[in-house]
Amino acid sequence: MELGLVGLGKMGGNMRERIRRAGHTVVGYDRNPDVADVDSLKALVDTLAAPRVVWVMVPAGAATASTIDELADLLSPGDVVVDGGNSRWTDDIAHGKKLGEKGIGFVDCGVSGGVWGLQNGYALMCGGAEADVAKVQPVFDALKPEGDFGFVHAGKIGAGHFAKMVHNGIEYAMMQAFAEGWELLEASDEVTDVREVFRSWQEGTVIKSWLLDLAVRALDDDEHLDKLKGYAQDSGEGRWTVEAAIDLAVPLPAITASLFARFASRQDDSPSMKMVAALRNQFGGHAVESK
Amino acid sequence: MELGLVGLGKMGGNMRERIRRAGHTVVGYDRNPDVADVDSLKALVDTLAAPRVVWVMVPAGAATASTIDELADLLSPGDVVVDGGNSRWTDDIAHGKKLGEKGIGFVDCGVSGGVWGLQNGYALMCGGAEADVAKVQPVFDALKPEGDFGFVHAGKIGAGHFAKMVHNGIEYAMMQAFAEGWELLEASDEVTDVREVFRSWQEGTVIKSWLLDLAVRALDDDEHLDKLKGYAQDSGEGRWTVEAAIDLAVPLPAITASLFARFASRQDDSPSMKMVAALRNQFGGHAVESK
Amino acid sequence: MELGLVGLGKMGGNMRERIRRAGHTVVGYDRNPDVADVDSLKALVDTLAAPRVVWVMVPAGAATASTIDELADLLSPGDVVVDGGNSRWTDDIAHGKKLGEKGIGFVDCGVSGGVWGLQNGYALMCGGAEADVAKVQPVFDALKPEGDFGFVHAGKIGAGHFAKMVHNGIEYAMMQAFAEGWELLEASDEVTDVREVFRSWQEGTVIKSWLLDLAVRALDDDEHLDKLKGYAQDSGEGRWTVEAAIDLAVPLPAITASLFARFASRQDDSPSMKMVAALRNQFGGHAVESK
Amino acid sequence: MELGLVGLGKMGGNMRERIRRAGHTVVGYDRNPDVADVDSLKALVDTLAAPRVVWVMVPAGAATASTIDELADLLSPGDVVVDGGNSRWTDDIAHGKKLGEKGIGFVDCGVSGGVWGLQNGYALMCGGAEADVAKVQPVFDALKPEGDFGFVHAGKIGAGHFAKMVHNGIEYAMMQAFAEGWELLEASDEVTDVREVFRSWQEGTVIKSWLLDLAVRALDDDEHLDKLKGYAQDSGEGRWTVEAAIDLAVPLPAITASLFARFASRQDDSPSMKMVAALRNQFGGHAVESK
């Protein structure tokens, strides 16, 4: 089939390649003319035969919103827009409504895979009407990994990004689990070769997982991670997961602890611990460490 | 080689079978005469030719301690005792000392694998002197999974159970991660088929793992887990992990949250929440739910 | 001075009484004619001489928004509206803008005090322009407790409710602190009279506080809180506190733990713990408690 | 009455002064001859008339244990030893047993008050037999604050230190509550004078407390706590509180979060966050901050 693809960065570029390898036609547009197949969104739309499928793969937020706005003006009833970026699921509702008013379908699609996706395939979680999803299915089939898994139509518009958001929340806590275990092993005098312990866990254990494999790779590069700072960004989905949980009154202690550990990792000094130190000083004459 | 195996419950019985399949001789003793090969620990020791290896696979705590005490009297210098049970690593130090005073070697070995071990092999984490571990190595090789992983000599006496303990701590937080994510998806109106979302994650995602596969199996049995109560035991290692972290001043928020969630799951009613309700009632005239 | 007061429920009614005791004139409006001084918002506005101060004390959300909308139409430039309800601080920005466009001032005011406020005074945290706050100051002075404390002009519009929100977040964690300590004492065999321990802490300790006094009162009514269920509502501010922290990347582990404990207290059964039980069952043949 | 007091550091010295002000005779011993009234434990015991009361106020652990050992040899049946130090309650059991075998009574006493105790009195939580506590009561009455509160006989031997331990656990979470709230206010753009907000809360609020008063004092010294590092020690009781909770399967999320925040505050760099950064780097090509 024919696909319009907007956004040809690292992720979008690799996805174009994987879709083409599956025998489909991809017309790509990007603000960077060096990687684009056409020189405007309009040219992209004009190149495609109706009914069109246009996949948006640009940064979440303003860039995605303005791209969808433009497409709402350019596309025709019966066309379908896919948002494959890291949009918040609540944005999908608004985007779907705007496009729906013009008779254009909308499918939101959470995409997992990172730098490994081109080779191994991308896990896809999508939301939208059955008929709209069906129009995109050949592209989903091209992008997903071999085998029975890696694609799900999770529900109505927003469900794809919601599912991807929760995936990332789980990922936060799994990473934190390995991180805490590793820190404890490194701190102990008992275990003399922590890396080999991690390596051994890759088979026969309850915790065998791709993240564990990656941890072993990282330790093979740098046994005690001496080259890294204990500084971790968060990318939005972790925050949204906790916010969704708060809205639904769902307790999420491990995922939230993982998010807060990242927040704390980015502080040069902890304001709250200054207050604790100040209080200890006030009531107890406890020694505090002054600057 | 020849191995004495004490304790032929579900776990020990399967291990005997796997070791025998690898061509070794196993003399098993258990209090239950129906499963035992010999009728006493003494008979077991007498049957084996020195230098002997005796693997203890009985409940941690008093049962393991008394078995090791008896073996200290029955065995000879140069023999080796392996504790493959779920002992606390701090107990290993005492057991190793007692046996060492008689010239008997000691190896502690954390064993992971559960009901899947007979078929897939057991992950083994052991601690002890190089020479003692070497005497047991053929048995370790028989028990471990195929391939490069699943066995590690983690350090001195205690290191094996320490590593296994941390493995279980990580396992707690990973289980909690999937559990929280599942609860959030089930609570949302967006995602209409939570089980299919979990199923799809088995390929192409960052969170693909054996635990995820097991979650899908569980959901295939009982889509919304309606047959289960939200009640989870803990088996010791989670508590010991947190206690080791406290000793070493290592923050372990996600693993500890996972442990506390299990504690709370076993309370019919939460005493602390009674106090919160009482306080709200005192200061605010907030409605509280009385019995 | 003269004040219009909209909303004469438990809180508003007591506040009218306290302001009148200080010698001010209060014209109160409520949908319930039995407690109202006038029969409409318009009558209330007409009764007051310009420049007017109208204090809105109705439920946060839709009721507050519609009252402010009506007042925007009824009031004149130079008048001031105070929102003393439990509004989210982000709503204040919108309300202030709408009133400001008509030349009407706006002050948001977080009010603490509950059923004790009539007698002891209300703690007030307000936000808004200096000139607008000044117009309300005699009422603030009437409402606040005796002495040097209990009133603050915290910053621009929204700052009052923001400060009140954080107050409540702190309150959540303080309540949780006493609740956890009480549960631990009740669970131990060592301490035989937990209530007397709590009582004794009211003097000479680091934790002496009004909440502790209230805990002792509650225990005097019901020594082991047997009459209560461990079920605690949350009223919005706790959630907003955590959401504000997430927006600002501030780690808030104790306050969030307190919020999640309340969420969990309201679940008949924990879905996440069902999943943990299911996973334990899958990998270990661990006994799970079935319904 | 007559009291022997062992340990005349900052705490013990002030306590001697307060007891003397109440009209009692105190014979003090300390390794430092400049502050001691007698030059040996033996001299202290010889100076007192039987039945004696000897209060031990030395560092918990080895120093307390060896002092109690010595006193067990020096004292006579009917005498009473009080341990007023920060001993772990589990040590009390052993100390009481050792003294009891010689007919010497034992009372454990948790003491709160810090540098404020001389002036305001010390909160006392004690454990032991009724008859032994009665022998010490005049000293307890001298040390405790004026009024109805500040002293409790909490139960059998160990109950005093157990109650004090829980007091400190509660204190950890209360300090963390104020610290988190303060950090959030400081991080926000809304509230322009955080110190004045804290000051205002001292009357009319739910969170009014001595710790809040101390926070205001600290902020008056150093408005943004710029002179302090976000570095907080922990003194044992917090750890023991969490360990006791783990033994009793009591969930303690807020207190534990407070303890872990202190652990984290003392790390130059977080090992667990290095692992999180390493994993992010492996799967996503996410930018990590290298040293």
Side-chain angles (χ1 to χ4, degrees):
Chain A
M1 67 173 277
E2 227 182 27
L3 179 77
L5 180 56
V6 182
L8 299 165
K10 201 187 210 168
M11 194 82 172
N14 279 345
M15 289 167 71
R16 175 172 63 177
E17 176 62 21
R18 187 168 171 100
I19 300 167
R20 283 181 174 165
R21 286 185 190 170
H24 301 295
T25 301
V26 182
V27 182
Y29 168 68
D30 194 278
R31 288 179 313 175
N32 174 3
D34 296 345
V35 297
D37 304 316
V38 291
D39 63 2
S40 70
L41 262 190
K42 183 170 186 316
L44 178 139
V45 170
D46 290 345
T47 304
L48 301 169
R52 303 172 191 85
V53 175
V54 180
W55 187 297
V56 179
M57 204 69 203
V58 303
T64 293
S66 70
T67 302
I68 288 176
D69 277 356
E70 278 190 70
L71 289 170
D73 290 338
L74 294 167
L75 292 172
S76 312
D79 293 347
V80 172
V81 172
V82 182
D83 177 8
N86 289 319
S87 297
R88 190 165 183 163
W89 68 277
T90 44
D91 291 345
D92 295 327
I93 315 296
H95 296 157
K97 188 151 175 278
K98 167 163 285 182
L99 292 164
E101 284 163 2
K102 306 219 173 180
I104 305 166
F106 180 66
V107 173
D108 64 290
C109 185
V111 179
S112 179
V115 296
W116 301 77
L118 173 57
Q119 180 186 328
N120 298 348
Y122 299 88
L124 307 169
M125 295 140 254
C126 74
E130 199 69 58
D132 293 327
V133 170
K135 290 178 189 165
V136 196
Q137 194 67 49
V139 172
F140 290 146
D141 291 342
L143 285 171
K144 71 179 280 292
E146 300 276 309
D148 295 336
F149 310 121
F151 172 79
V152 68
H153 180 191
K156 58 188 173 182
I157 289 176
H161 280 129
F162 194 98
K164 174 61 162 50
M165 173 190 83
V166 176
H167 165 278
N168 283 37
I170 294 171
E171 173 195 310
Y172 273 53
M174 285 177 66
M175 290 167 76
Q176 182 72 19
F178 283 113
E180 292 181 4
W182 183 74
E183 177 169 340
L184 182 54
L185 287 173
E186 286 277 317
S188 94
D189 288 332
E190 303 307 313
V191 171
T192 44
D193 197 336
V194 175
R195 180 169 60 180
E196 291 312 303
V197 170
F198 262 61
R199 191 189 312 284
S200 79
W201 286 342
Q202 289 176 283
E203 206 49 68
T205 66
V206 176
I207 64 177
K208 68 180 176 179
S209 55
W210 193 55
L211 273 169
L212 176 62
D213 298 342
L214 294 182
V216 172
R217 287 174 62 105
L219 296 174
D220 278 340
D221 284 352
D222 181 8
E223 184 173 354
H224 300 291
L225 304 181
D226 292 325
K227 295 179 203 151
L228 291 174
K229 279 185 61 175
Y231 180 102
Q233 288 291 358
D234 70 285
S235 56
E237 284 95 346
R239 299 182 186 205
W240 302 336
T241 303
V242 178
E243 289 172 354
I246 289 174
D247 280 345
L248 295 164
V250 169
L252 230 56
I255 291 173
T256 306
S258 310
L259 179 66
F260 286 165
R262 294 193 183 188
F263 288 174
S265 81
R266 303 200 298 263
Q267 298 183 319
D268 273 338
D269 201 6
S270 162
S272 59
M273 287 303 108
K274 286 172 181 253
M275 177 52 88
V276 169
L279 289 170
R280 280 169 57 82
N281 196 28
Q282 285 292 327
F283 71 70
H286 286 284
V288 292
E289 187 159 324
S290 294
K291 280 186 180 169
Chain B
M1 67 173 278
E2 226 181 29
L3 179 77
L5 179 57
V6 183
L8 299 165
K10 200 192 217 165
M11 192 83 172
N14 279 346
M15 288 167 70
R16 175 172 62 177
E17 177 61 20
R18 188 168 169 98
I19 300 167
R20 282 181 174 163
R21 287 184 190 170
H24 300 294
T25 301
V26 182
V27 183
Y29 168 69
D30 194 277
R31 286 179 314 176
N32 174 3
D34 295 344
V35 297
D37 303 316
V38 291
D39 63 2
S40 71
L41 262 189
K42 185 172 185 314
L44 178 139
V45 170
D46 290 346
T47 304
L48 300 169
R52 304 170 190 86
V53 176
V54 180
W55 186 296
V56 179
M57 204 69 203
V58 302
T64 293
S66 71
T67 302
I68 288 176
D69 277 356
E70 278 190 73
L71 288 172
D73 290 338
L74 293 168
L75 292 173
S76 311
D79 293 347
V80 172
V81 173
V82 182
D83 177 8
N86 289 319
S87 297
R88 189 167 184 162
W89 68 276
T90 44
D91 290 344
D92 295 327
I93 315 293
H95 297 157
K97 187 151 175 281
K98 167 163 283 182
L99 292 164
E101 284 163 2
K102 305 220 171 178
I104 305 166
F106 180 66
V107 173
D108 63 290
C109 185
V111 179
S112 178
V115 295
W116 301 78
L118 173 57
Q119 180 186 328
N120 298 348
Y122 299 88
L124 307 169
M125 295 141 255
C126 75
E130 199 69 58
D132 293 327
V133 171
K135 288 179 188 165
V136 196
Q137 194 67 50
V139 173
F140 290 146
D141 291 342
L143 286 171
K144 71 180 278 293
E146 299 277 308
D148 295 335
F149 310 121
F151 172 79
V152 67
H153 179 191
K156 59 189 173 181
I157 289 174
H161 280 129
F162 194 98
K164 174 60 162 51
M165 173 189 83
V166 176
H167 165 276
N168 284 37
I170 294 170
E171 173 194 311
Y172 274 52
M174 286 177 66
M175 290 166 76
Q176 182 72 19
F178 283 113
E180 293 181 3
W182 183 75
E183 177 169 341
L184 182 55
L185 287 173
E186 287 277 317
S188 93
D189 288 332
E190 303 309 312
V191 170
T192 44
D193 196 336
V194 175
R195 180 168 60 180
E196 291 312 303
V197 169
F198 262 62
R199 191 190 313 285
S200 79
W201 286 342
Q202 289 177 281
E203 207 47 68
T205 66
V206 176
I207 64 177
K208 68 181 177 180
S209 55
W210 193 56
L211 274 169
L212 176 62
D213 298 342
L214 293 182
V216 172
R217 287 174 61 105
L219 296 174
D220 278 340
D221 284 353
D222 182 7
E223 184 174 353
H224 300 289
L225 305 180
D226 292 325
K227 296 179 203 150
L228 291 174
K229 279 184 61 176
Y231 180 101
Q233 287 291 358
D234 70 284
S235 56
E237 285 94 346
R239 299 183 185 205
W240 302 337
T241 303
V242 178
E243 288 172 353
I246 289 174
D247 280 344
L248 294 164
V250 169
L252 228 57
I255 291 173
T256 306
S258 310
L259 180 65
F260 286 164
R262 294 193 183 187
F263 288 173
S265 80
R266 303 200 299 263
Q267 298 183 319
D268 273 338
D269 199 6
S270 163
S272 59
M273 286 303 108
K274 285 172 182 253
M275 177 53 86
V276 168
L279 290 170
R280 278 169 58 82
N281 196 27
Q282 285 292 328
F283 70 71
H286 286 284
V288 293
E289 188 158 325
S290 294
K291 279 185 178 167
Chain C
M1 66 172 279
E2 226 181 29
L3 179 77
L5 179 57
V6 183
L8 299 165
K10 198 189 215 168
M11 194 83 172
N14 279 345
M15 288 167 69
R16 175 173 61 176
E17 176 63 19
R18 188 167 170 99
I19 300 166
R20 283 180 173 164
R21 287 183 189 170
H24 300 295
T25 301
V26 182
V27 181
Y29 168 69
D30 194 278
R31 288 180 312 177
N32 174 3
D34 295 345
V35 297
D37 303 315
V38 291
D39 63 1
S40 70
L41 262 190
K42 184 170 185 316
L44 178 139
V45 170
D46 290 345
T47 305
L48 300 170
R52 303 171 190 86
V53 175
V54 180
W55 185 297
V56 178
M57 205 68 203
V58 303
T64 293
S66 71
T67 303
I68 288 176
D69 277 356
E70 278 191 70
L71 288 171
D73 289 338
L74 294 167
L75 292 173
S76 312
D79 292 347
V80 172
V81 172
V82 182
D83 177 8
N86 290 318
S87 297
R88 189 166 183 162
W89 68 277
T90 45
D91 290 345
D92 296 327
I93 315 294
H95 297 157
K97 187 149 174 281
K98 167 163 284 182
L99 292 164
E101 284 163 2
K102 305 217 173 183
I104 305 166
F106 180 66
V107 173
D108 64 290
C109 185
V111 179
S112 178
V115 296
W116 301 77
L118 172 57
Q119 180 185 328
N120 299 348
Y122 299 88
L124 308 169
M125 295 139 255
C126 74
E130 199 68 56
D132 292 327
V133 170
K135 289 177 190 166
V136 195
Q137 194 66 50
V139 173
F140 291 146
D141 290 342
L143 286 170
K144 70 180 280 293
E146 299 276 310
D148 296 335
F149 311 121
F151 172 79
V152 68
H153 179 191
K156 58 189 174 182
I157 289 176
H161 280 130
F162 193 98
K164 175 60 162 50
M165 173 190 83
V166 176
H167 165 277
N168 284 37
I170 294 171
E171 174 194 310
Y172 273 52
M174 285 177 66
M175 290 167 76
Q176 182 72 19
F178 282 114
E180 293 181 2
W182 183 74
E183 176 169 341
L184 181 55
L185 287 172
E186 287 277 317
S188 93
D189 288 332
E190 303 307 313
V191 170
T192 44
D193 196 336
V194 174
R195 179 168 61 180
E196 290 313 303
V197 169
F198 262 63
R199 191 190 312 287
S200 80
W201 286 342
Q202 289 176 282
E203 207 48 68
T205 66
V206 176
I207 64 177
K208 68 181 176 179
S209 54
W210 192 55
L211 274 169
L212 175 62
D213 298 343
L214 293 182
V216 172
R217 287 174 61 106
L219 296 174
D220 278 340
D221 283 352
D222 182 7
E223 184 174 354
H224 301 290
L225 305 180
D226 292 325
K227 295 178 204 152
L228 290 174
K229 278 185 60 176
Y231 179 102
Q233 287 291 358
D234 71 284
S235 55
E237 285 94 346
R239 300 183 185 204
W240 302 336
T241 302
V242 178
E243 288 172 353
I246 289 174
D247 279 345
L248 295 164
V250 168
L252 229 56
I255 291 172
T256 306
S258 310
L259 180 66
F260 286 164
R262 294 192 183 188
F263 288 173
S265 80
R266 303 200 299 263
Q267 298 183 319
D268 273 338
D269 200 5
S270 163
S272 59
M273 287 303 108
K274 286 173 182 251
M275 177 53 86
V276 169
L279 289 170
R280 280 169 57 82
N281 197 27
Q282 285 292 328
F283 71 71
H286 287 283
V288 292
E289 189 159 324
S290 294
K291 280 186 178 167
Chain D
M1 67 173 278
E2 225 182 29
L3 178 77
L5 180 56
V6 183
L8 299 165
K10 199 187 212 170
M11 193 83 172
N14 278 346
M15 288 167 70
R16 175 171 62 177
E17 176 62 19
R18 188 168 170 99
I19 300 166
R20 283 180 175 164
R21 287 184 190 170
H24 301 295
T25 301
V26 182
V27 182
Y29 168 68
D30 194 277
R31 286 180 313 175
N32 174 3
D34 295 346
V35 297
D37 302 317
V38 290
D39 62 3
S40 70
L41 262 190
K42 183 169 187 318
L44 178 139
V45 170
D46 289 346
T47 304
L48 301 168
R52 302 171 190 86
V53 176
V54 180
W55 187 296
V56 178
M57 203 68 202
V58 302
T64 293
S66 70
T67 302
I68 288 176
D69 277 356
E70 278 190 71
L71 288 171
D73 290 337
L74 294 167
L75 291 172
S76 311
D79 293 347
V80 172
V81 172
V82 182
D83 177 8
N86 289 319
S87 297
R88 189 166 183 162
W89 68 276
T90 46
D91 290 344
D92 295 327
I93 315 294
H95 297 157
K97 186 150 176 280
K98 167 163 283 183
L99 292 164
E101 283 163 3
K102 305 219 172 180
I104 305 166
F106 180 66
V107 173
D108 65 290
C109 185
V111 179
S112 178
V115 295
W116 300 77
L118 173 56
Q119 181 187 327
N120 298 349
Y122 299 88
L124 307 169
M125 296 140 254
C126 75
E130 199 69 58
D132 293 326
V133 170
K135 289 179 188 164
V136 196
Q137 194 67 50
V139 172
F140 291 145
D141 291 342
L143 286 171
K144 71 180 278 293
E146 299 277 309
D148 295 335
F149 310 121
F151 172 80
V152 68
H153 179 191
K156 58 189 173 181
I157 288 175
H161 280 129
F162 194 97
K164 175 59 163 51
M165 173 190 82
V166 176
H167 165 276
N168 284 38
I170 294 170
E171 174 194 310
Y172 273 53
M174 285 177 67
M175 290 166 77
Q176 182 72 19
F178 283 114
E180 293 181 3
W182 183 74
E183 176 169 341
L184 181 55
L185 287 173
E186 287 277 316
S188 94
D189 287 332
E190 302 308 313
V191 171
T192 44
D193 197 335
V194 174
R195 180 168 60 180
E196 291 313 302
V197 170
F198 262 62
R199 191 189 314 284
S200 79
W201 286 342
Q202 289 176 282
E203 206 49 69
T205 66
V206 175
I207 63 178
K208 67 180 177 179
S209 56
W210 194 55
L211 274 169
L212 175 62
D213 298 343
L214 294 182
V216 172
R217 288 174 61 105
L219 296 175
D220 278 340
D221 284 352
D222 181 9
E223 184 174 352
H224 301 290
L225 305 180
D226 292 325
K227 295 179 203 151
L228 291 173
K229 279 185 61 177
Y231 179 102
Q233 287 292 358
D234 69 285
S235 56
E237 285 94 346
R239 300 183 186 205
W240 303 336
T241 302
V242 178
E243 288 172 353
I246 289 174
D247 280 344
L248 295 164
V250 169
L252 229 55
I255 291 173
T256 305
S258 309
L259 180 65
F260 286 164
R262 293 194 183 188
F263 288 173
S265 80
R266 303 199 299 263
Q267 297 183 320
D268 273 339
D269 200 6
S270 163
S272 59
M273 286 303 108
K274 285 172 182 252
M275 177 52 87
V276 169
L279 289 170
R280 279 169 57 82
N281 196 28
Q282 286 291 328
F283 70 71
H286 285 284
V288 293
E289 189 159 324
S290 294
K291 279 186 178 168

